[in-house]
Amino acid sequence: MRIFLIGFMGCGKSTMGRSLASMLNLTFIDLDTFIEGKYFKTVPQIFAEEGESEFRKKEHKALEEVALFDDVIVATGGGAPCFFDNVEVMNNAGYCIFLDVATESLVKRLIHSKTERPLIKGKSPDELKTFIDALMQKRRPFYEKAKYILKGIELHAADVIAVVKN
Ligand code: S3P
C-alpha cells in the first residue's frame, strides 16, 4: 500500500503520517527530509542557494522515486502537488489524500511550528493569514485533483484509515 498526504503547510501531514505509519505498519517518509538526505542540503538552503524552481525539480524527482517504494506513507511538501504532473504521479501510485484543514488551524499550527519554511519566514500572524488565503486560492485546484479529500477544522488518523480500509 502507498498513501500520499497532501495539503497546505501546517495541515498536519507529517504528524498524521507518523502516527498512521505505526497504526498501518507502513514506513513513514517525509518528502522534504528525503530530499535533504538525497542532496545533503536543507530545504531552506536549496531555496536560498538554488532558487525555488530548482527545489521543485528536486522535489519532483524525489516524488517519482518514493512512488516506487512499497508500503509507505508519504507526507509531501505543501507545494508539491502544484508542480509538474505530481498529483497524477500520486493518484496513479496509491491513495492520494488532500487534508483540507481550516485556515484558522493552519495559522495556529504555523505560528507555533519550529520548522523553518522559506515561503512564510518572518510573517506576522495577520500577514500569515492573508498569505495563506491568497496562496490557498491558487493551490486549491491542484489539491482538489487528489482522488480523496478529507475536510475539517482538524483531521484525525481515523479519518484517513476510513479512506484506505474502504
Ligand atoms: C512548501 C512547503 C514545505 C516545503 C517548502 C515549500 C510549500 O513543506 O516543502 O518549504 O511550497 O508549501 P511543508 O508543507 O511540510 O511545510
Side-chain angles (χ1 to χ4, degrees), residues 80-114:
C82 315
F83 295 85
F84 305 99
D85 59 346
N86 289 348
V87 180
E88 286 74 19
V89 170
M90 294 186 271
N91 274 334
N92 292 334
Y95 294 91
C96 177
I97 307 175
F98 169 29
L99 306 182
D100 190 3
V101 163
T103 307
E104 310 89 84
S105 313
L106 299 177
V107 174
K108 251 189 241 161
R109 235 190 256 118
L110 289 171
I111 286 170
H112 295 113
S113 170
K114 290 196 178 69

Side-chain angles (χ1 to χ4, degrees), residues 9-67:
M9 288 173 266
C11 75
K13 295 161 298 207
S14 299
T15 312
M16 177 90 96
R18 252 182 228 109
S19 53
L20 280 163
S22 60
M23 292 162 99
L24 298 170
N25 208 18
L26 301 172
T27 301
F28 173 68
I29 298 174
D30 180 291
L31 196 64
D32 283 341
T33 309
F34 186 84
I35 295 165
E36 292 177 339
K38 187 171 156 68
Y39 295 98
F40 301 104
K41 274 186 183 186
T42 65
V43 169
Q45 241 179 320
I46 300 172
F47 265 78
E49 293 171 12
E50 303 175 38
E52 179 173 352
S53 75
E54 193 51 44
F55 171 74
R56 297 304 173 191
K57 286 184 202 156
K58 289 180 162 52
E59 182 177 54
H60 176 62
K61 269 195 199 157
L63 182 67
E64 284 189 319
E65 263 182 65
V66 304

